[in-house]
């Protein structure tokens, strides 16, 4: 037993409840979804039963079984025959096995007398296993009427443990019901660590959680995703931790994963339905006629396929809408089918909507039109529909509204409303999209509000902790305005601090209402909240001294409707780790961040011209980072008098020596105030 593999992770309570060494004459049912580790629990029970000296018989309900075998006698006979050596079969057991095999025929199920004789022979066979044995029946719900074998085993004095996917199986006759629920995040981390034989990075665990969705606690799904990452060479060991290459790319699943085998073969109707459900348009259970017309199947076959996908756990119904449980399934299917096939499916839905007697909702139709892309012929009617829906969603879904605006430009044969798109992307917190949009406009030749585009690019660069692209800075930077957003980016890169009033003035053009009923700005209340709603003191810590790993909290006012963001920081600078940040006192920025933890403490701004640091009240933080240079800044960073006096002096004159660190600030007491 020295080489015995460790037991299943996170199933200690289930193993204790099932009790392999418990008394006989008990029927226990372990139920849980596919991949929850039921088979692993049975294997652990079998090992424990052997250690206890009990005769153990394991029956696999998923094994070969003829359709006429309603009781599961054939799997029982196969299990007994294969375990003759472990059971130390006597002549009585061999004889009972041969007698039951002769009795198990299709004719035995036709009459009452034949079924009674068959049940009696099952009881004689199980009674010859030995006293107080352990009978394990895996996937008992695969057998139409499993109660005959399980009840006979309990009547013979054995301890019977069966597994099923549905809790209703044998619920009326079971003595013990145990549920194998999903693993918690800590147990998932242990499972991944055992699979990798190394400690996983938190980024890897977070990516797995996002990719698996509601299956993040399913052991089989987690292990399948890890195996696919290992096979595709996306895992790398850094500092004794296993990290994920390209963490923003959703991990995929192998073709033999349970969720993928439930979808079926490539090119089937189930594959098309899953891709449509994962699309931007809402799909309801009542849309079967529309889905059938789009996929070229009958409504009956489409409805049955949807029911099977829900039963197998691929889809689930939430408030009348069908939802994909595991995003990694859709990512794998899109990689297998290609983008063109997915767009063709949405275009087929748009065309099928014309043939239906009852038209679909305009919002759903607009989502299908946008997802169809170039698979749909340009039509001004679709462009008007997309613009109308973009105006309706601007306040509640700005990112989606920006996608609709971009799609409308193709159907209207008109230039894209880039200024509106930039405002929408800023409202959604998509700063990478803002920089990409402004860069494209500069390359094509700026034709619009230069001040607005420059402010948008500057805010996006500050929020992303990176420099604005050189072409953007050269084309949109206004040297006559020392407090423009792009000019502030330059000052930040040179190591100078930024003040709250400067940030407010730089973003003024972004919060000014634009003309037209559907051209709203960031909001009239966003002027004081976009960058500096909760920080009225001077943000004097420059890019070279501020850690890029600064806390990201909910820094945007709840009234403005904007997402939480993080403070601007310098890209490529030495990082200093900090703890969580409270949304009530956090430094503000424009990068969406994680929601602040309810357990985090308050943060306060230490006084000081060049070494202000965000620190937790009553707790010490990491040391003040050393400045990455000793020479004076040679770039033109602002007019005289901008920023504190010490910020205008060369770096070599600060401190006591070249590149010297400022002495650490005195730690505040536990009862200090912010």
């Amino acid at each position: 037993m020295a080489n015995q593999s460790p037991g299943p992770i996170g199933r200690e309570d289930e193993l204790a409840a099932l009790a392999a060494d418990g008394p006989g004459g008990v029927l226990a049912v372990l139920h849980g979804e596919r991949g929850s580790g039921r088979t692993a629990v049975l294997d652990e029970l079998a090992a424990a039963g052997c250690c206890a000296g009990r005769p153990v018989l394991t029956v696999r309900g998923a094994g070969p079984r003829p359709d006429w075998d309603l009781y599961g006698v054939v799997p029982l006979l196969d299990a007994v025959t294969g375990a003759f050596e472990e059971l130390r079969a006597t002549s009585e057991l061999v004889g009972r096995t041969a007698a039951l095999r002769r009795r198990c025929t299709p004719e035995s199920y036709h009459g009452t007398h034949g079924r009674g004789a068959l049940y009696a022979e099952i009881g004689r066979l199980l009674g010859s296993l030995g006293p107080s044995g352990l009978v394990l029946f895996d996937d008992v719900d695969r057998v139409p009427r499993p109660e005959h074998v399980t009840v006979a085993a309990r009547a013979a004095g054995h301890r019977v443990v069966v597994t099923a996917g549905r809790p209703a199986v044998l619920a009326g006759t079971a003595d013990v019901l145990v549920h194998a629920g999903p693993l918690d995040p800590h147990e998932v981390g242990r499972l991944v660590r055992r699979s990798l034989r190394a400690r996983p990075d938190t980024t890897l665990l977070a990516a797995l959680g996002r990719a698996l969705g509601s299956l993040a606690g399913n052991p089989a799904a987690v292990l399948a995703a890890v195996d696919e990452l290992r096979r595709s060479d996306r895992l790398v060991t850094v500092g004794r931790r296993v990290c994920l290459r390209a963490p923003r790319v959703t991990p995929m699943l192998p073709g033999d994963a349970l969720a993928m085998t439930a979808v079926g073969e490539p090119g089937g109707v189930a594959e098309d339905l899953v891709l449509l459900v994962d699309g931007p348009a809402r799909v309801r259970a009542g849309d079967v006629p529309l889905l059938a017309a789009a996929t070229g199947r009958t409504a009956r076959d489409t409805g049955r396929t949807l029911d099977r996908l829900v039963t197998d756990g691929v889809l689930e119904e939430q408030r009348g809408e069908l939802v994909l449980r595991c995003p990694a399934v859709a990512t794998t299917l899109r990689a297998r089918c290609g983008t063109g096939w997915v767009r063709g499916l949405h275009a087929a839905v748009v065309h099928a909507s014309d043939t239906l007697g009852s038209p679909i909702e305009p919002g759903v139709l607009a989502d299908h039109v946008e997802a169809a892309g170039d698979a749909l012929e340009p039509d001004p009617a679709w462009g008007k529909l997309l613009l109308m829906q973009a105006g309706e969603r601007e306040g509640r879904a700005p990112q989606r509204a920006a996608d609709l605006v971009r799609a409308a430009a193709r159907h209207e044969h008109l230039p894209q409303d880039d200024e509106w798109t930039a405002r929408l992307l800023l409202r959604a917190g998509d700063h990478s999209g803002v920089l990409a949009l402004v860069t494209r406009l500069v390359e094509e030749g700026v034709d619009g509000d230069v001040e607005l585009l420059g402010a948008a690019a500057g805010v996006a660069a500050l929020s992303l902790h990176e420099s604005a692209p050189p072409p953007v800075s050269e084309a949109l930077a206004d040297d006559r305005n020392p407090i423009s957003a792009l000019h502030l980016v330059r000052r930040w890169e040179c190591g100078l601090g930024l003040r709250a009033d400067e940030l407010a003035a730089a973003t003024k053009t972004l919060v000014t209402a634009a003309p037209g009923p559907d051209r709203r700005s960031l909001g009239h209340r966003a002027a004081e909240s976009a960058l500096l709603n909760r920080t009225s003191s001077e943000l004097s810590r420059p890019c070279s001294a501020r850690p890029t790993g600064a806390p990201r909290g909910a820094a945007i006012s709840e009234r403005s409707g904007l997402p939480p963001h993080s403070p601007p920081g310098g890209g490529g600078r030495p990082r200093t780790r900090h703890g969580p940040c409270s949304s009530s006192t956090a430094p503000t920025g424009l990068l969406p961040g994680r929601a602040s933890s309810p357990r985090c403490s308050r943060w306060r701004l230490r006084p000081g011209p060049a070494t202000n640091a965000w620190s937790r009240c009553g707790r010490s933080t990491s040391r003040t980072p050393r400045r990455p240079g000793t020479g004076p800044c040679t770039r033109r960073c602002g007019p005289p008098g901008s920023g504190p006096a010490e910020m205008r002096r060369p770096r070599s004159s600060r401190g006591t020596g070249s590149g010297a660190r400022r002495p650490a600030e005195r730690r505040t007491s536990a009862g200090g105030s912010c």
Side-chain angles (χ1 to χ4, degrees):
M1 303 301 295
N3 296 328
Q4 181 180 357
S5 61
I9 291 177
R11 299 303 180 200
E12 292 79 8
D13 295 340
E14 289 81 353
L15 290 171
L18 296 174
D21 55 350
V26 176
L27 173 58
V29 178
L30 174 65
H31 61 89
E33 64 178 356
R34 298 179 61 192
S36 58
R38 297 171 300 175
T39 303
V41 171
L42 281 192
D43 294 341
E44 186 69 14
L45 290 174
C50 292
C51 293
R54 307 181 72 166
V56 179
L57 176 65
T58 303
V59 184
R60 306 294 182 184
R65 180 187 59 83
D67 295 337
W68 50 264
D69 183 16
L70 304 179
Y71 297 171
V73 178
V74 173
L76 174 63
L77 290 172
D78 294 341
V80 173
T81 304
F84 271 161
E85 183 177 358
E86 291 80 4
L87 294 174
R88 297 178 181 179
T90 62
S91 58
E92 180 185 6
L93 178 60
V94 175
R96 295 300 182 187
T97 303
L100 180 58
R101 192 176 296 278
R102 290 192 300 268
R103 176 65 65 179
C104 182
T105 60
E107 292 75 15
S108 300
Y109 292 95
H110 291 168
T112 305
H113 176 73
R115 291 193 297 269
L118 182 61
Y119 177 75
E121 203 63 49
I122 293 174
R124 297 188 188 98
L125 171 62
L126 294 173
S128 61
L129 292 178
S132 187
L134 181 62
V135 178
L136 308 174
F137 205 137
D138 194 15
D139 293 327
V140 73
D141 49 352
R142 300 289 187 92
V143 179
R145 301 178 63 180
E147 63 274 5
H148 292 78
V149 174
T150 56
V151 172
R154 181 177 60 178
H158 303 305
R159 186 171 184 84
V160 186
V161 180
V162 303
T163 65
R166 303 184 307 273
V169 177
L170 298 177
T173 58
D175 302 306
V176 179
L177 287 176
V178 181
H179 175 57
L183 303 180
D184 59 38
H186 176 68
E187 293 166 345
V188 172
R190 291 172 52 200
L191 181 65
V192 175
R193 183 172 183 175
R194 175 189 290 183
S195 177
L196 298 176
R197 296 184 178 181
R199 179 174 297 179
D201 186 66
T202 55
T203 305
L204 171 59
L205 297 178
L208 288 175
R210 292 190 301 267
L212 297 178
S214 60
L215 295 182
N218 187 289
V222 172
L223 294 178
V226 171
D227 291 342
E228 181 64 17
L229 290 175
R230 185 188 292 110
R231 186 194 62 82
S232 57
D233 195 24
R234 290 190 58 187
L235 298 178
V236 57
T237 302
V238 179
R240 297 184 180 181
R241 289 181 181 268
V242 180
C243 303
L244 178 64
R245 291 191 176 99
R248 295 184 179 181
V249 179
T250 304
M252 296 191 296
L253 294 175
D256 57 351
L258 293 178
M260 296 302 301
T261 56
V263 174
E265 296 295 330
V269 61
E271 185 178 76
D272 296 341
L273 293 177
V274 170
L275 290 173
L276 288 174
V277 170
D278 184 66
R282 182 179 67 252
V283 178
R284 295 178 295 187
D287 297 335
V288 172
L290 177 63
L291 298 175
T295 56
R297 272 82 172 185
T298 62
R300 183 178 182 180
D301 293 340
T302 304
R304 288 181 175 178
T305 304
L306 284 177
D307 292 340
R308 180 179 62 80
L309 291 174
V310 173
T311 303
D312 292 342
V314 180
L315 304 177
E316 64 180 353
E317 190 173 358
Q318 297 180 359
R319 296 184 297 273
E321 299 180 11
L322 294 175
V323 180
L324 181 64
R325 298 187 61 195
C326 181
V329 173
T331 303
T332 307
L333 293 180
R334 284 194 297 269
R336 188 167 70 184
C337 298
T339 306
W341 181 264
V342 178
R343 292 179 177 178
L345 287 175
H346 289 282
V349 173
V350 174
H351 293 306
S353 63
D354 298 334
T355 62
L356 296 179
S358 57
I360 61 178
E361 299 178 9
V364 177
L365 183 59
D367 289 334
H368 283 294
V369 171
E370 186 273 333
D374 55 4
L376 197 63
E377 292 295 331
D379 189 343
W382 300 136
K384 295 179 180 179
L385 174 66
L386 293 173
L387 289 179
M388 180 186 67
Q389 290 299 316
E392 293 181 0
R393 304 184 192 186
E394 181 179 4
R396 55 185 173 87
Q399 180 70 61
R400 188 62 190 149
D403 297 338
L404 296 178
V405 172
R406 286 192 287 257
R410 176 179 175 273
H411 291 279
E412 282 193 322
H413 299 287
L414 296 175
Q416 177 182 327
D417 195 336
D418 299 309
E419 297 177 9
W420 188 22
T421 305
R423 292 177 183 270
L424 291 174
L425 293 176
L426 282 176
R427 288 176 63 87
D430 186 4
H431 301 102
S432 299
V434 172
L435 281 182
L437 174 63
V438 176
T439 303
R440 179 180 62 81
L441 293 177
V442 170
E443 294 175 352
E444 297 176 356
V446 181
D447 185 14
D449 191 339
V450 176
E451 183 180 3
L452 184 144
L453 295 177
V459 168
L462 287 174
S463 299
L464 291 174
H465 304 176
E466 63 184 34
S467 304
V472 173
S473 299
E474 296 174 1
L476 302 181
D478 186 5
D479 293 336
R480 296 173 300 177
N481 184 8
I483 58 172
S484 65
L486 290 175
H487 205 78
L488 294 182
V489 173
R490 292 180 179 178
R491 289 177 50 191
W492 190 268
E493 295 171 354
C494 292
L496 297 183
L498 307 180
R499 296 198 308 271
D501 57 342
E502 294 176 332
L503 295 174
T507 58
K508 183 177 180 180
T509 183
L510 297 176
V511 298
T512 303
D518 296 329
R519 301 297 190 270
R520 292 184 294 175
S521 68
L522 290 177
H524 68 278
R525 289 186 298 269
E528 73 278 5
S529 62
L531 279 173
L532 39 97
N533 178 49
R534 295 189 175 98
T535 303
S536 58
S537 60
E538 188 179 49
L539 297 178
S540 60
R541 191 168 189 190
C543 169
S544 59
R546 182 181 296 274
T548 58
R552 298 181 178 180
I556 299 303
S557 172
E558 297 178 358
R559 301 176 301 166
S560 65
L562 295 176
H565 299 86
S566 72
R573 307 297 185 185
R575 292 182 175 267
T576 302
R577 298 186 63 88
H578 290 270
C581 177
S582 170
S583 61
S584 62
T585 57
T588 56
L590 285 178
L591 180 66
R594 300 180 294 271
S596 59
S597 171
R599 298 175 296 179
C600 66
S601 62
R602 296 181 298 169
W603 292 74
R604 77 184 197 44
L605 188 64
R606 291 179 178 173
T611 57
N612 290 332
W614 292 96
S615 62
R616 303 183 65 174
C617 291
R619 297 188 61 179
S620 62
T621 59
S622 55
R623 59 178 173 83
T624 303
R626 178 167 57 90
R627 297 185 179 278
T630 58
C633 176
T634 59
R635 299 181 62 179
R636 184 169 178 262
C637 300
S642 61
E646 185 177 358
M647 303 301 295
R648 298 194 301 270
R649 286 187 278 126
R651 295 180 181 177
S652 58
S653 62
R654 305 175 194 165
T656 57
S658 176
R661 304 189 186 98
R662 184 183 180 94
E665 299 286 342
R666 183 180 300 275
R667 312 303 183 196
T668 59
S669 61
S673 60
C674 292

